[in-house]
Amino acid sequence: MPEGKIVKALSGFYYVASEDRLIQCRGRGVFRKNKINPLVGDYVVFQAENDKEGYIMEVKERKNELLRPPIANVDQAFLVFSAVEPDFSTTLLDRFLVLVEYNHIVPIICISKMDLANEEQRAGIEHYAEEYRSAGYEVILTSSETEAGVEKLLPHIENKISVFAGQSGVGKSSLLNSLRPDLKLKTSGISSHLGRGKHTTRHVELIEVANGHVADTPGFSSLEFLEIDPEQLTACFPEFQEASENCKFRGCLHVKEPKCAVKAGVENGEIPGYRYEHYLDFLLEIKDRKPRY
């Protein structure tokens, strides 16, 4: 039986790309009984009734999956944050980074709307960009308006499944329109009443861009650390993970333990103080999380 990849899910139908065909499929009835929920990004085996319709017979094993947005087998996430409108937030960025790192997805930080930043704001963004690069992250500064930096995204997209994630209103759809002008994705500015973007993306769909697939997602509707344990949080901060190899105690949580290499890194300026503060906040949030039964 032929195989393919789900590139869109809408109203109970799964659109499977296979070679040069796009087949509209339904899932087998047994899927619901066995609690199998096909996701965009899944590699599947399907049975085609004709050139346009068929049934998904099997969902291949996933390397990862996200529940919100619902997508599987993601290689990397472009975390899109605007320089201004809305203002750049390291707190929110670090929250996204932790969720992406935990799901073993490679993050690429993309700071948009650089054309709207004044000289002082630009200097601040470039300072943050260098600090995140020092932590091991790829950081790309862009503007959809002037298209500056947009071409730097293309080599990362090729042959991969990528998600564009971030707050509403930061310009995810605008960036995709810059990468593929024929898409003409609907964009919307910031709501003056709410101070945040108006939602314009309603479903998850993989779009062909630069020999890869990109999902313009409705965004993470939940940014809570529901699955992460306190002991796993260090691994979600790459510079902490590296420094922690020199901590005196194995399993150090970098809070009150003596001879902690992470705290030493903060004190000597090797680790930014705001990254450590966010780590402590997230750790407390995880510890205070109500148990689920």
Side-chain angles (χ1 to χ4, degrees), residues 27-37:
R28 292 174 64 197
V30 72
F31 282 0
R32 182 173 294 179
K33 179 183 175 183
N34 294 336
K35 297 183 179 178
I36 297 172
N37 181 30

Side-chain angles (χ1 to χ4, degrees), residues 44-75:
V44 299
V45 178
F46 67 95
Q47 188 174 51
E49 296 188 327
N50 51 53
D51 284 346
K52 294 183 179 179
E53 297 174 312
Y55 282 88
I56 294 173
M57 307 303 290
E58 179 189 349
V59 177
K60 298 281 192 176
E61 186 177 352
R62 297 166 180 155
K63 71 176 183 180
N64 58 40
E65 65 179 274
L66 298 175
L67 296 180
R68 293 181 289 266
I71 187 169
N73 299 313
V74 178
D75 294 305

Side-chain angles (χ1 to χ4, degrees), residues 189-202:
I190 301 294
S191 162
S192 58
H193 175 64
L194 296 173
R196 60 174 186 249
K198 305 168 190 172
H199 288 282
T200 55
T201 314
R202 297 298 176 189

Side-chain angles (χ1 to χ4, degrees), residues 77-195:
F78 288 90
L79 301 181
V80 184
F81 279 72
S82 52
V84 294
E85 298 181 17
D87 290 339
F88 182 72
S89 166
T90 58
T91 308
L92 193 56
L93 174 56
D94 285 347
R95 187 171 279 271
F96 270 88
L97 284 169
V98 166
L99 289 167
V100 169
E101 293 275 9
Y102 177 74
N103 284 286
H104 306 293
I105 297 169
V106 175
I108 297 172
I109 300 169
C110 178
I111 302 177
S112 63
K113 301 188 184 181
M114 288 299 292
D115 59 298
L116 299 181
N118 60 35
E119 194 171 326
E120 183 181 352
Q121 289 166 330
R122 176 177 283 273
I125 293 295
E126 289 175 348
H127 176 73
Y128 281 128
E130 284 307 310
E131 290 188 320
Y132 279 98
R133 287 179 185 128
S134 295
Y137 292 111
E138 182 79 33
V139 184
I140 300 172
L141 309 183
T142 67
S143 164
S144 300
E145 193 66 31
T146 66
E147 299 200 346
V150 173
E151 76 287 347
K152 293 179 181 177
L153 304 178
L154 292 172
H156 296 284
I157 294 172
E158 193 169 357
N159 298 321
K160 292 186 174 70
I161 293 180
S162 308
V163 296
F164 271 47
Q167 283 176 285
S168 298
V170 295
K172 298 189 296 292
S173 295
S174 295
L175 273 175
L176 281 169
N177 284 338
S178 294
L179 291 166
R180 254 193 68 178
D182 61 302
L183 288 175
K184 297 179 181 175
L185 294 174
K186 186 180 178 185
T187 62
S188 181
I190 301 294
S191 162
S192 58
H193 175 64
L194 296 173

